[in-house]
Amino acid sequence: MEPKAETAEISVAAAARRLGVGLDFVYILVRSGKLVGRKVNRQWLVSTAAVEERRKRLEARNDCH
């Protein structure tokens, strides 16, 4: 059995957990275009790759301070 491929998109709630921020902040990031996402029916989905990239940048910035 092959390992499960990482999902290309995750919910806003999952993105908030990965980033360590609140839901409102993730919605702000998506609506401002700072985080790639799309609305499917009534739910926003966010690019997993974009979330991981932003998380790495936040961690790097926190390591500098």
Side-chain angles (χ1 to χ4, degrees):
M1 183 179 269
E2 291 184 34
K4 185 178 176 183
E6 187 170 352
T7 305
E9 295 175 315
I10 57 176
S11 68
V12 171
R17 282 191 301 274
R18 286 190 187 189
L19 294 171
V21 299
L23 289 172
D24 290 340
F25 186 66
V26 176
Y27 283 118
I28 290 168
L29 292 174
V30 171
R31 288 185 178 124
S32 69
K34 294 180 181 178
L35 194 60
V36 178
R38 66 187 181 105
K39 195 168 186 180
V40 177
N41 297 324
R42 294 179 53 166
Q43 179 181 13
W44 279 94
L45 297 176
V46 181
S47 163
T48 304
V51 170
E52 291 306 312
E53 181 181 319
R54 186 160 189 91
R55 187 183 58 78
K56 288 177 185 175
R57 281 189 281 144
L58 286 172
E59 285 178 354
R61 188 172 67 185
N62 289 338
D63 288 343
C64 292
H65 295 146

